Amino acid sequence: MSSAPLKTGPHRERERPRLSWRGDHRRRQRTAKAYAIALRALLAEFGEQAPLAELEGEAGADRLAAWFTSRWGGAAAATFNVRLDALGSACAWWRDQHWLAGDPLRRIRRRARTPDRTRALSRADIETLLTLPRLALRERTLFRLLYESAARAQEVLALDVDDLDLRNRRARVRRKGGAVDVIVWRTAAAPATGQARLSYRRAAATTGLPGGPYTLHQLRHGALTHAAEDGANTSTLLAFSGHTSVASLARYARVSPEALARWQEGRDPATRRP
């Protein structure tokens, strides 16, 4: 860390840099909560008035790694990485202010996420879910639209009337990352409910449904898996999902064990008809 004190204003007393996360207020709103959790935990551990010098050197890196591992070592890889990214961005901002010279997080490594290949709902589960007699029309329409379009829940819930082309069963959505795209659905998802827009929390409340709880994301996952099983090529799957890379698509468009078993059965000479 530079030994030069920070000048905070033309008429203010000079002071040494201390732990601060003012720069994170400039971050995008969707990451604010994740940043706040990680940085408030850091302040609670080291003290809000602790000088950033405590994070420098080998001792600082060791202490930070020990604390971080103790705090989030038992968390899922995604949570572990989000907390690490938040602190990494804070450290980068502090370096931009010349408050830090090194990387206090150098002892901590991101975790690889173990792919979960069981998240896609089966065709039977989806059919059961979408035909439940007690499922309200609004929720049924949303669930079917998510499945038929393979769109993300946030993309669908953000739709306005002007975005819809009901006659052609399509709509303009803003994809993850900000790109504008078009989603297309089938006839069953077309009915209008006449009800107000669902909040994400209300839309995701599937705990009481048979076989649940489900997540809205499982409908998207199932749609892409079933499209791959039905023979959709890579270009079609990329357009269907809104992904921009095959690597991202590959996590979703994986055939189910049941489909793999059917494929093997069709190739097995012992099961073929003479």
Side-chain angles (χ1 to χ4, degrees), residues 86-146:
L87 296 182
S89 294
C91 289
W93 190 79
W94 291 330
R95 281 192 296 272
D96 289 343
Q97 313 311 307
H98 305 291
W99 296 352
L100 284 177
D103 179 14
L105 301 171
R106 59 186 177 275
R107 298 276 195 272
I108 311 172
R109 295 289 179 267
R110 289 174 60 82
R111 289 183 175 176
R113 297 179 64 173
T114 303
D116 182 356
R117 299 177 180 175
T118 65
R119 293 177 63 190
L121 294 176
S122 69
R123 297 173 195 258
D125 286 340
I126 288 176
E127 185 62 22
T128 298
L129 174 64
L130 297 180
T131 57
L132 283 174
R134 63 186 179 86
L135 189 63
L137 178 60
R138 181 173 62 172
E139 282 74 9
R140 188 192 312 280
T141 301
L142 171 65
F143 293 170
R144 187 169 289 279
L145 178 57
L146 292 175

Side-chain angles (χ1 to χ4, degrees), residues 171-249:
R172 294 192 311 272
V173 297
R174 190 167 295 278
R175 295 289 195 184
K176 185 177 180 180
V180 176
D181 202 355
V182 174
I183 61 172
V184 180
W185 56 89
R186 300 194 293 271
T187 306
T193 68
Q195 295 179 295
R197 185 199 303 268
L198 278 168
S199 68
Y200 186 87
R201 177 175 296 181
R202 175 65 183 273
T206 63
T207 304
L209 298 179
Y214 303 109
T215 67
L216 298 179
H217 196 68
Q218 283 179 282
L219 293 166
R220 168 176 164 83
H221 197 154
L224 294 172
T225 297
H226 301 158
E229 293 173 357
D230 291 341
N233 61 33
T234 301
S235 297
T236 300
L237 289 171
L238 286 171
F240 192 35
S241 67
H243 286 119
T244 57
S245 74
V246 176
S248 297
L249 173 66

Side-chain angles (χ1 to χ4, degrees), residues 7-210:
K7 188 174 183 179
T8 57
H11 304 295
R12 293 187 180 181
E13 182 180 352
R14 292 173 179 264
E15 60 178 347
R16 297 184 64 81
R18 300 183 184 278
L19 286 175
S20 168
W21 51 292
R22 289 174 291 178
D24 292 280
H25 289 299
R26 303 188 184 100
R27 303 291 180 182
R28 298 178 64 175
Q29 184 177 2
R30 67 178 182 174
T31 62
K33 183 177 180 180
Y35 275 60
I37 291 173
L39 292 165
R40 284 171 181 160
L42 180 69
L43 295 177
E45 173 67 17
F46 286 81
E48 189 169 350
Q49 297 302 313
L52 282 172
E54 289 192 13
L55 304 182
E56 295 279 24
E58 300 303 312
D62 288 342
R63 180 184 173 189
L64 191 59
W67 163 75
F68 189 92
T69 303
S70 175
R71 181 65 183 258
W72 287 296
T79 301
F80 185 95
N81 292 338
V82 165
R83 302 294 179 257
L84 183 58
D85 289 345
L87 296 182
S89 294
C91 289
W93 190 79
W94 291 330
R95 281 192 296 272
D96 289 343
Q97 313 311 307
H98 305 291
W99 296 352
L100 284 177
D103 179 14
L105 301 171
R106 59 186 177 275
R107 298 276 195 272
I108 311 172
R109 295 289 179 267
R110 289 174 60 82
R111 289 183 175 176
R113 297 179 64 173
T114 303
D116 182 356
R117 299 177 180 175
T118 65
R119 293 177 63 190
L121 294 176
S122 69
R123 297 173 195 258
D125 286 340
I126 288 176
E127 185 62 22
T128 298
L129 174 64
L130 297 180
T131 57
L132 283 174
R134 63 186 179 86
L135 189 63
L137 178 60
R138 181 173 62 172
E139 282 74 9
R140 188 192 312 280
T141 301
L142 171 65
F143 293 170
R144 187 169 289 279
L145 178 57
L146 292 175
Y147 177 64
E148 292 188 359
S149 69
R152 298 175 179 88
Q154 295 90 336
E155 295 166 354
V156 170
L157 292 172
L159 286 172
D160 290 321
V161 173
D162 292 342
D163 299 321
L164 301 174
D165 179 359
L166 296 178
R167 182 176 182 178
N168 295 303
R169 298 190 296 278
R170 61 185 61 187
R172 294 192 311 272
V173 297
R174 190 167 295 278
R175 295 289 195 184
K176 185 177 180 180
V180 176
D181 202 355
V182 174
I183 61 172
V184 180
W185 56 89
R186 300 194 293 271
T187 306
T193 68
Q195 295 179 295
R197 185 199 303 268
L198 278 168
S199 68
Y200 186 87
R201 177 175 296 181
R202 175 65 183 273
T206 63
T207 304
L209 298 179

